[in-house]
Amino acid sequence: MSSSSSTETGQSSAVALEEPPTDQAVITTRAVAEREAFPTQKPRTTAGLTVLIPAYNEAKFIADTIRSIREQTLQPDEIIVIDDRSSDGTGDIARSMGVRVLRPESNSGSKAGALNFGLKSVVTPYTLAIDADTSLAPDAIERLMKAANTGDLEQDDHIAGACGYVIPRHVNTIWERGRYIEYLFAFTIYKPIQDYYERPLIASGCFSVYRTDVLRRLGGWPHRTLAEDMDLTWNCYDAGYRIRFVPEAVCYPIEPHNFDFLRKQLRRWSRGFYQCVRVHWKTVLKTPYLRLIVAVGLWDSTVATLAFFVLLPLLCVLISPLFLLGYFIDLPAVLVPVMIKAHQRGEKLKALSSIPAFYVMRVVNGVFVLSAFWHEIIMRNRLKTFEKGH
Amino acid sequence: MVNGLPGAGIGGFFYLILALYMPIREGVRAVRGRSRREHWNFIMQQWAIIGAILVGLWLQGWLLRELFLSAPMMSITALVDPTGMMAKPAFDVAGAAATAALVSLAGVVLIAEGLKFLLDFTNND
């Protein structure tokens, strides 16, 4: 086992050395520009914070992730990589970078399992979970801990955690471009409004911080659903806590670059959403605004999606081909927030050229959402296998 | 991003209404002494975005009408609509669809609130 690991480590290290610096350089440049736009207070040296990085065969990306944490303006007390029985030397790369590596006796079967394994070793008041393929803007942790410049996370006991703004690190393929527009749209319009009403639908699993005592009280990350981040967020609401969205804290995950990875991710996300609705329906109903956000989400994911796939084509055939315009009728609603954010980030051309991919992505999303509704709600056939896809 | 089709359906209307309702909520907070300056700044930003979206939608509607219903363009659109009779019904149905979306939203909100009321009622029993 060890000789096999060391061979793989050699290969993986080579990959890690070849790819990450370019990405990090880009992120650092962006973040410096963002920091100039939003000046922060003098950085502190420690945060009372432990970073947990669940990792399974992430040799290509783990070095970049650790490096981006090392370059933070607010340093965590400890970085723990949970090497979930990787076979590509992920743990060895992490260890060589001086972070603590934990390795369970067997693969935990899910991200939640790996995170809970790591949670046992956390001794700081705050725990930050970050995906192994996610890099951070240099001031992301500082901004997240400040929770929207008010210090809420450290001063308000009712706030259990906070999440940040997500932007795909690479925007090249059609799927990455579609996701890029989705994120620019959702994190500029939907999520800030949800935050204003104190009910973000989900604290994104790729970059979120929590109070450690609350995490332990709630039993850590739930593994009964495939959307452990949404499940945990709704657990927090059920226990009377709040979650904050901090748009200034930016992270850059690797998004699916091909359809195979996208398929796994969308299957997990869409099935996980319905699993959370089934598990938490009472919590959802009793939580102000969350019940409306989820009810509207359910309607759009079923009825609106069916109309999208069935009603519009029928109208095109039976009344007028002009109904094809229905597929793009919301273009201004998408374009305005996307271009505002893209302008702030200096990415107008990238955003404009990615708009068509968003419409392709929307069709693909619709297929997976309907399929998930059929399997999870109608057939009651719960998906249990956690398929890794970025 | 998994719940529904972003931008389409009733979600767009829902978040638009939530954004428009924010000043009222913040006003109530102000009366209770819980309002913050950052909240008003945020509300102004969101209203600016929503305003730009509404202007964009109006411009799009105007452009499409000019494109498909104006006389000079009829000769071009005749390729797909030889009689010129299908365009107007399409725009009428589009208007009806927007109305249907708002009615659906009202229905979804009522159902959610009704279920919550029912849950409270059964819990009290």
Side-chain angles (χ1 to χ4, degrees):
Chain A
M1 179 70 195
S2 64
S3 65
S4 142
S5 290
S6 72
T7 311
E8 284 158 3
T9 306
Q11 291 165 349
S12 304
S13 297
V15 173
L17 285 171
E18 278 170 20
E19 293 196 345
T22 313
D23 290 343
Q24 195 51 43
V26 171
I27 291 167
T28 305
T29 311
R30 276 187 197 142
V32 167
E34 283 166 3
R35 207 185 314 171
E36 283 167 1
F38 304 100
T40 57
Q41 291 175 356
K42 191 179 172 185
R44 289 171 290 172
T45 49
T46 58
L49 174 78
T50 299
V51 175
L52 293 182
I53 311 174
Y56 176 69
N57 288 345
E58 298 281 5
K60 268 179 83 175
F61 307 111
I62 191 75
D64 210 11
T65 302
I66 294 170
R67 198 175 297 123
S68 84
I69 297 168
R70 289 269 192 243
E71 290 172 1
Q72 288 296 301
T73 54
L74 180 65
Q75 281 295 306
D77 294 62
E78 188 169 28
I79 301 171
I80 299 177
V81 171
I82 304 103
D83 175 21
D84 208 1
R85 309 302 294 185
S86 300
S87 57
D88 66 349
T90 299
D92 295 318
I93 295 172
R95 208 172 284 112
S96 72
M97 296 184 77
V99 304
R100 187 174 170 194
V101 177
L102 303 176
R103 196 168 158 91
E105 286 183 7
S106 60
N107 181 281
S108 60
S110 67
K111 194 164 96 179
L115 283 166
N116 288 332
F117 185 79
L119 184 61
K120 292 178 200 161
S121 304
V122 175
V123 292
T124 52
Y126 301 102
T127 302
L128 188 144
I130 174 171
D131 281 358
D133 57 9
T134 299
S135 288
L136 304 178
D139 54 0
I141 291 181
E142 185 182 3
R143 289 180 181 278
L144 196 64
M145 291 299 290
K146 281 166 76 180
N149 301 321
T150 59
D152 282 344
L153 189 60
E154 291 172 84
Q155 290 169 14
D156 188 339
D157 288 342
H158 294 294
I159 296 179
C163 59
Y165 201 107
V166 184
I167 301 274
R169 196 185 317 176
H170 302 301
V171 184
N172 299 316
T173 69
I174 186 170
W175 313 119
E176 290 167 337
R177 285 179 178 276
R179 184 56 55 74
Y180 171 65
I181 299 298
E182 276 186 355
Y183 282 171
L184 285 184
F185 176 73
F187 285 88
T188 304
I189 276 278
Y190 284 8
K191 203 121 182 178
I193 292 176
Q194 290 172 0
D195 181 61
Y196 174 78
Y197 287 97
E198 301 174 359
R199 293 290 179 261
L201 183 67
I202 176 172
S204 310
C206 64
F207 177 46
S208 292
V209 66
Y210 295 94
R211 290 176 183 282
T212 307
D213 59 334
V214 173
L215 267 179
R216 292 211 167 101
R217 202 172 306 140
L218 298 177
W221 282 267
H223 42 74
R224 60 194 164 177
T225 68
L226 292 175
E228 79 293 329
D229 43 6
M230 183 180 280
D231 203 344
L232 177 58
T233 305
W234 294 5
N235 270 349
C236 289
Y237 294 148
D238 190 35
Y241 293 104
R242 285 166 51 203
I243 295 289
R244 293 301 314 273
F245 166 60
V246 186
E248 297 85 6
V250 183
C251 72
Y252 301 92
I254 299 285
E255 293 295 335
H257 61 283
N258 63 30
F259 187 74
D260 187 46
F261 275 122
L262 183 78
R263 179 184 61 78
K264 289 174 183 168
Q265 190 192 58
L266 285 181
R267 205 160 94 107
R268 201 175 65 233
W269 284 5
S270 52
R271 302 281 293 252
F273 169 63
Y274 287 115
Q275 289 174 359
C276 282
V277 171
R278 279 181 63 180
V279 168
H280 287 278
W281 68 272
K282 280 187 180 175
T283 301
V284 169
L285 278 180
K286 76 177 186 186
T287 310
Y289 296 108
L290 183 66
R291 64 175 165 269
L292 299 182
I293 291 167
V294 173
V296 167
L298 280 171
W299 175 274
D300 273 0
S301 62
T302 52
V303 181
T305 308
L306 274 173
F308 196 77
F309 286 130
V310 180
L311 188 63
L312 269 181
L314 274 178
L315 291 171
C316 286
V317 173
L318 298 176
I319 301 182
S320 166
L322 288 180
F323 277 100
L324 281 174
L325 291 170
Y327 288 107
F328 308 99
I329 204 73
D330 60 346
L331 182 64
V334 175
L335 209 54
V336 168
V338 164
M339 291 313 293
I340 287 173
K341 192 65 189 178
H343 174 71
Q344 288 171 356
R345 296 181 55 77
E347 298 171 354
K348 291 193 286 284
L349 199 61
K350 184 158 80 172
L352 263 182
S353 62
S354 300
I355 290 285
F358 168 78
Y359 285 93
V360 176
M361 193 77 158
R362 189 148 86 169
V363 174
V364 176
N365 276 345
V367 172
F368 279 89
V369 162
L370 279 183
S371 166
F373 179 77
W374 174 258
H375 288 291
E376 293 288 338
I377 304 294
I378 307 290
M379 302 303 289
R380 305 226 153 209
N381 175 23
R382 198 165 80 82
L383 181 68
K384 294 175 185 167
T385 312
F386 188 95
E387 274 188 303
K388 183 173 173 281
H390 290 298
Chain B
M1 294 309 303
V2 295
N3 56 325
L5 304 171
I10 59 174
F13 284 114
F14 174 65
Y15 284 96
L16 188 144
I17 290 168
L18 281 187
L20 293 177
Y21 176 64
M22 285 193 296
I24 299 169
R25 185 172 189 259
E26 199 58 28
V28 173
R29 279 178 156 184
V31 170
R32 292 175 180 169
R34 289 169 52 204
S35 183
R36 286 181 186 168
R37 181 188 289 270
E38 310 93 77
H39 288 169
W40 287 109
N41 290 343
F42 170 73
I43 290 168
M44 284 170 65
Q45 283 171 17
Q46 292 299 315
W47 268 53
I49 295 174
I50 294 294
I53 289 174
L54 291 175
V55 169
L57 287 169
W58 181 85
L59 274 175
Q60 179 184 250
W62 174 82
L63 192 68
L64 289 176
R65 278 181 184 278
E66 285 297 308
L67 199 61
F68 290 102
L69 295 181
S70 65
M73 295 306 291
M74 281 299 206
S75 56
I76 298 171
T77 55
L79 291 172
V80 291
D81 187 4
T83 61
M85 295 302 289
M86 293 191 294
K88 193 167 186 312
F91 280 100
D92 290 345
V93 176
T99 310
L102 281 172
V103 171
S104 304
L105 177 58
V108 168
V109 169
L110 279 175
I111 289 170
E113 294 299 324
L115 285 173
K116 192 259 175 190
F117 176 78
L118 204 64
L119 184 69
D120 288 346
F121 185 74
T122 49
N123 281 350
N124 287 340
D125 280 353

